[in-house]
Amino acid sequence: MRIIADLRKVVADNGLERLESVRIGGIDQWVSIRGSDRRNPVLLMLHGGPGWVAMPTSWYFQRGWEEYFTVVQWDQRGAGKTYVANDPDTLAPTMTRERMVADAEAMVAWLRKEFGKDKIFVLGHSWGSYLGLELAQRRPEWLHAYIGIGQVTDAPESERRGWAWTLQQAQRDANTQAVAELEALAPYAQGADPVPLESLFKQRKWLNHYGGMVYNRRGGDAEGAAVTLSPEYSDLDVAGMWKGNDFSMQHLLADVLTLDMSTVRELDVPLFLFLGRHDHNVSSALAAEWFATVKAPRKRLVWFEQSAHEVMIEEPGKTLVTLVRDVRPIAERAGDVSPDGM
């Protein structure tokens, strides 16, 4: 951890490197704020899960971003360092979608004030893409653009497609155990009722096994192991992160998977989708179908051909290039960049 911390230390004259708690929604919530020039546009990443924090793996995928953006990683209510810093019994009654959206709105408001910015970029991954899309609808005047990775659209249909794809892989593989376990879940994600978490986890076990979350790899073991190298996380934080992940999923996941965000037909902010071609965890094909229907001042879909659900980790170079080439110019045109042109 010390080696990684020293290697990625921000040494630029006008840079910043902050790890601190912010009072949001009545509790202390932890953020990492890093960048080579504090005058650069702010980019807030909303992690997935619920509860699958991005801060402890950001050392791997984010370093290049920091030369062009002030990047904010935020451990949401009930997740990561924020989970560790608060009493779970106190948090539990507040773990609602409405409270999480309000927290996201408050975090954007704090960042705008803290950095003197009229607008910032918001990037939402998976569960975070639900929060990001809500922000794009509710506070378009606060955003340069919204970027969705693993974008949530019609969640029940995404679940059905993921189950069908996984069953197809298992049948092709002649995996009798997987076929039996998956067929036992049928009918899967039908109607308006939430998918029982036990059924969801069985489906995800085999979906991950066949590379539906991380392309050509079985599950996210490498990502999980990378957490232990995080300069921001102590051993206590790492242990708490896994507890927070379970805690957040128990309180939020079933509800989220009943949502149909494909009813969003118009946005007043530029829209970017970074989609993994092989994402079956949150169907990228379904997100692309939604993208074709939505109206926005500007929109662009970028396919990542060697990725599934963890695009920024699976193709970090292309993610960086796309952010710099396609997204950042919106802030440049608005004058929200370093005068040095960095």
Side-chain angles (χ1 to χ4, degrees), residues 125 148-151 158 161-162 165 168-169 207 210-216 273-289 291 300-312 314-315 318-319:
H125 176 233
I149 299 179
Q151 181 64 51
S158 176
R161 292 192 189 190
W165 176 85
Q168 183 183 53
Q169 306 312 302
L207 183 146
Y210 286 110
M213 185 181 79
V214 185
Y215 185 47
N216 279 338
L273 291 192
F274 295 3
L275 299 181
R277 181 70 72 178
H278 309 280
D279 190 352
H280 299 281
N281 192 73
V282 175
S283 172
S284 58
L286 194 61
E289 292 168 20
F291 179 86
R300 178 151 191 224
L301 188 160
V302 182
W303 283 106
F304 288 72
E305 301 294 345
Q306 302 302 318
S307 295
H309 193 57
E310 300 290 329
V311 165
M312 63 281 181
E314 295 177 88
E315 294 185 68
K318 185 172 181 177
T319 302

Side-chain angles (χ1 to χ4, degrees), residues 103-273:
D103 281 358
E105 196 170 335
M107 180 59 71
V108 173
W110 180 78
L111 288 168
R112 292 173 66 240
K113 182 179 180 182
E114 183 74 7
F115 290 96
K117 303 286 190 181
D118 290 332
K119 297 183 178 184
I120 72 168
F121 290 105
V122 167
L123 185 158
H125 176 233
S126 196
W127 145 262
S129 75
Y130 158 68
L131 297 178
L133 197 51
E134 288 284 4
L135 278 171
Q137 292 180 87
R138 298 182 187 204
R139 292 293 186 178
E141 72 278 10
W142 288 3
L143 306 185
H144 282 306
Y146 166 63
I147 309 113
I149 299 179
Q151 181 64 51
V152 173
T153 52
D154 183 342
E157 176 62 17
S158 176
E159 286 300 305
R160 290 189 287 271
R161 292 192 189 190
W163 173 84
W165 176 85
T166 306
L167 179 60
Q168 183 183 53
Q169 306 312 302
Q171 291 169 335
R172 183 178 300 161
D173 193 31
N175 186 333
T176 55
Q177 180 187 354
V179 170
E181 289 187 16
L182 290 164
E183 288 184 338
L185 302 179
Y188 182 77
Q190 301 296 315
D193 293 334
V195 176
L197 289 184
E198 182 181 359
S199 299
L200 176 78
F201 294 151
K202 286 181 180 177
Q203 184 257 31
R204 287 292 195 275
K205 177 182 75 172
W206 293 113
L207 183 146
N208 292 351
H209 176 82
Y210 286 110
M213 185 181 79
V214 185
Y215 185 47
N216 279 338
R217 281 202 278 130
R218 294 185 174 183
D221 290 348
E223 290 74 18
V227 166
T228 62
L229 301 178
S230 170
E232 290 91 356
Y233 269 49
S234 66
D235 290 344
L236 179 65
D237 291 331
V238 171
M241 184 207 78
W242 294 113
K243 292 178 183 178
N245 186 56
D246 291 342
F247 175 83
S248 294
M249 286 196 296
Q250 291 293 332
H251 285 89
L252 293 167
L253 185 55
D255 182 32
V256 171
L257 294 181
T258 66
L259 291 175
D260 183 4
M261 299 300 288
S262 68
T263 57
V264 177
R265 287 288 184 254
E266 187 169 0
L267 294 174
D268 292 329
V269 296
L271 169 67
F272 295 87
L273 291 192

Side-chain angles (χ1 to χ4, degrees), residues 4-5 7-11 15-19 31-37 41 43 58-59 62-63 65-67 69-73 115 231-232:
I4 292 173
L7 188 64
R8 67 167 194 159
K9 183 176 178 61
V10 176
V11 296
L16 71 165
E17 189 172 9
R18 294 164 55 177
L19 180 65
V31 293
S32 162
I33 306 173
R34 297 173 51 85
S36 295
D37 193 324
L43 187 155
S58 63
W59 63 265
Q62 181 186 292
R63 186 64 185 92
W65 303 10
E66 296 164 12
E67 296 178 37
F69 302 89
T70 296
V71 186
V72 182
Q73 293 289 350
F115 290 96
E232 290 91 356

